Amino acid sequence: MSRNRLDPADFAPEALTELSGVLHRPGRAALVDEEGNRVDIPTPLFRHLERVVRLMAEHRTIVMIPEDEVFTTQAAADYLGVSRQHLVDLVEAGEIEHHRVGTHRRIRFHDLRTYEARRDAERKRALDDLMDAVDEAGLYDSTHGE
């Protein structure tokens, strides 16, 4: 098992089902060690754990990436779903922060997420503007098909 990857195939389905049931019970969640010492799980961490278990119960693999994880340009391109050359063009244009290790560019996961959020917001804004223009031009009939 990779240290950053949780594959549902590595767990008995019954174990995930049981854990999912425990996480949905009312009350405060806690960890108890072998000696009976109890520590409450903070709510944000509990919610995260609950989501991880739910997704794994749905047979989805979970990959945990620290925000300061460093990606190669190819790994960053793969994450964004673009070609390596397009990613390099974005980096060279200053769209994505990076640093160099020798002659190689490296990109922190945090910087990829920052670019991704900005890109998605720009796309949403462009679509909203397009819909406003279509609406203003009277080209959209919301009653069509009703």
Side-chain angles (χ1 to χ4, degrees), residues 94-111:
E95 292 290 321
I96 301 175
E97 292 290 323
H98 73 288
H99 65 278
R100 289 191 178 266
V101 176
T103 59
H104 302 283
R105 296 173 191 90
R106 296 293 184 258
I107 302 163
R108 287 183 314 132
F109 184 58
H110 171 78
D111 295 325

Side-chain angles (χ1 to χ4, degrees), residues 3 5 8 11 29 31 33 39 44 47-49 51 54 81 84 87 90 104 106 115 123 126 133 141:
R3 67 182 183 96
R5 186 172 188 272
F11 300 86
L31 295 174
D33 68 13
V39 176
R47 296 286 173 242
H48 198 70
L49 177 61
R51 181 167 186 246
R54 179 179 47 80
R84 183 184 166 283
L87 181 107
L90 291 169
H104 302 283
R106 296 293 184 258
Y115 167 77
R123 285 178 176 174
D141 180 6

Side-chain angles (χ1 to χ4, degrees), residues 28-48:
R28 184 86 173 140
L31 295 174
V32 180
D33 68 13
E34 300 173 338
E35 298 171 3
N37 298 310
R38 176 190 163 104
V39 176
D40 287 340
I41 300 174
T43 300
L45 182 57
F46 176 77
R47 296 286 173 242
H48 198 70

Side-chain angles (χ1 to χ4, degrees), residues 35-96:
E35 298 171 3
N37 298 310
R38 176 190 163 104
V39 176
D40 287 340
I41 300 174
T43 300
L45 182 57
F46 176 77
R47 296 286 173 242
H48 198 70
L49 177 61
E50 188 176 44
R51 181 167 186 246
V52 166
V53 171
R54 179 179 47 80
L55 291 169
M56 289 180 67
E58 295 171 2
H59 308 286
R60 296 174 69 182
T61 299
I62 305 299
V63 177
M64 297 180 294
I65 302 174
E67 282 199 329
D68 64 350
E69 187 80 19
V70 177
F71 285 50
T72 64
T73 52
Q74 184 61 61
D78 291 345
Y79 173 79
L80 292 175
V82 300
S83 71
R84 183 184 166 283
Q85 185 57 55
H86 181 65
L87 181 107
V88 169
D89 292 345
L90 291 169
V91 164
E92 292 302 314
E95 292 290 321
I96 301 175

Side-chain angles (χ1 to χ4, degrees), residues 105-142:
R105 296 173 191 90
R106 296 293 184 258
I107 302 163
R108 287 183 314 132
F109 184 58
H110 171 78
D111 295 325
L112 279 178
R113 298 276 296 138
T114 298
Y115 167 77
E116 188 176 40
R118 188 173 63 247
R119 178 196 66 186
D120 292 350
E122 288 169 2
R123 285 178 176 174
K124 182 184 181 321
R125 196 169 29 258
L127 283 172
D128 289 346
D129 290 348
L130 179 61
M131 284 304 297
D132 288 347
V134 166
D135 198 32
E136 286 176 16
L139 299 173
Y140 181 72
D141 180 6
S142 64

